[in-house]
Amino acid sequence: MKIAWQRMYVLAAFFALLLPSASATAAEGIPALLINSDVEGGQTWSVSLQALVLMTTLTLLPAAILLMTSFTRIAIVLGILRTALGTAQTPSNQVLIGLALFLTAFVMRPVLTEIHADAVQPYLNEEISVESALQTASAPLRNFMMQQTRNDDLVLFLSLSESEMPADVNDIPFLVLVPAFVTSELKTAFQIGFILFVPFLIIDLVVASVLMSMGMMMLSPLIISLPFKLMLFVLVDGWNLVLGTLAGSFFI
């Protein structure tokens, strides 16, 4: 017991010696998180602060993929297609999300290539600052979102934010552009989904009418119509048409 108390006294004395130096460090500021001004008027961030910003950005990456790329339209259309086929959980959610991610990477490849060439690579070569890299990287993404955003949706969110349409589209804040882009993507996705749903709906109606005329009302029409819908989808090379149309809809 005596030895334990002696150890506690030693630890207390040790922390008491460290307390003045810790207070002085806190008063001076943590040197690892600093923003210095250079000769040209820009700002230079410390390595620790850059790592902190990078880790914070990575946590927002899933939201950026969902709301600022082609992923929303592709995922919704593939989900509607599965519902129209009536195949329940086939393909599974993992397959559809994986397909949507790879198709998103294909559609966004020109944008990502431009961001890498104009922002990421110069920043890694220490040619531009963090602020310049972020501003340069946002330009291609902004142009992509503006091409897919309807003017009505953009005007709606500008009015909700009590802002006027700027003379230059580059002056539209992301807080306005992102919801307008997502709204336009949802509208486009449901339009494509409606077109996909119509032929399968016709097959369901025809099968239901035939079964009712034959007096087989206790038999579910889905059991009979499912093979016909799958056969139609395979004969017309449905996956090629759907994926090709989805990818092409972003380059019109």
Side-chain angles (χ1 to χ4, degrees):
M1 187 69 178
K2 185 177 180 180
I3 297 176
W5 280 105
Q6 290 178 353
R7 291 179 178 177
M8 292 181 63
Y9 287 144
V10 172
L11 289 175
F14 178 73
F15 284 117
L17 292 175
L18 291 180
L19 186 60
S21 60
S23 301
T25 303
E28 295 175 0
I30 303 176
L33 302 176
L34 292 177
I35 300 178
N36 300 321
S37 299
D38 53 18
V39 180
E40 299 178 356
Q43 293 181 342
T44 303
W45 295 6
S46 63
V47 177
S48 300
L49 187 56
Q50 294 179 22
L52 179 62
V53 173
L54 177 61
M55 296 303 295
T56 305
T57 305
L58 289 178
T59 59
L60 299 176
L61 185 60
I65 294 177
L66 287 173
L67 303 179
M68 302 174 68
T69 65
S70 59
F71 179 82
T72 301
R73 182 190 303 184
I74 296 171
I76 291 176
V77 171
L78 292 179
I80 293 177
L81 175 62
R82 184 176 64 180
T83 304
L85 285 172
T87 53
Q89 297 299 319
T90 304
S92 63
N93 292 331
Q94 292 82 356
V95 174
L96 292 184
I97 295 300
L99 181 59
L101 284 174
F102 277 98
L103 194 58
T104 299
F106 173 78
V107 172
M108 301 298 295
R109 183 177 59 178
V111 178
L112 297 177
T113 302
E114 186 176 354
I115 291 175
H116 182 268
D118 298 341
V120 177
Q121 199 61 40
Y123 171 72
L124 294 178
N125 295 333
E126 298 182 356
E127 299 175 359
I128 58 177
S129 62
V130 179
E131 292 181 343
S132 300
L134 292 176
Q135 186 175 2
T136 304
S138 64
L141 190 59
R142 180 189 296 272
N143 293 334
F144 170 80
M145 295 170 66
M146 284 298 302
Q147 291 175 0
Q148 308 300 326
T149 304
R150 292 178 170 84
N151 292 330
D152 296 339
D153 298 326
L154 195 58
V155 170
L156 171 63
F157 284 96
L158 283 173
S159 62
L160 291 177
S161 63
E162 298 181 354
S163 304
E164 296 182 356
M165 178 69 74
D168 190 0
V169 295
N170 294 325
D171 296 332
I172 298 177
F174 270 96
L175 291 178
V176 174
L177 180 57
V178 171
F181 169 75
V182 174
T183 304
S184 297
E185 287 295 283
L186 291 174
K187 190 179 300 182
T188 304
F190 277 94
Q191 289 176 350
I192 298 175
F194 171 77
I195 297 174
L196 287 175
F197 217 108
V198 170
F200 301 110
L201 179 62
I202 293 175
I203 294 177
D204 288 332
L205 292 176
V206 171
V207 172
S209 300
V210 171
L211 291 178
M212 186 173 294
S213 64
M214 295 175 62
M216 304 174 63
M217 293 178 292
M218 301 301 294
L219 181 62
S220 175
L222 295 178
I223 300 177
I224 307 300
S225 63
L226 180 58
F228 289 99
K229 290 190 289 186
L230 292 178
M231 182 181 63
L232 173 65
F233 193 70
V234 171
L235 289 177
V236 300
D237 199 3
W239 288 112
N240 191 4
L241 290 175
V242 171
L243 298 181
T245 303
L246 274 175
S249 64
F250 292 95
F251 301 105
I252 297 177

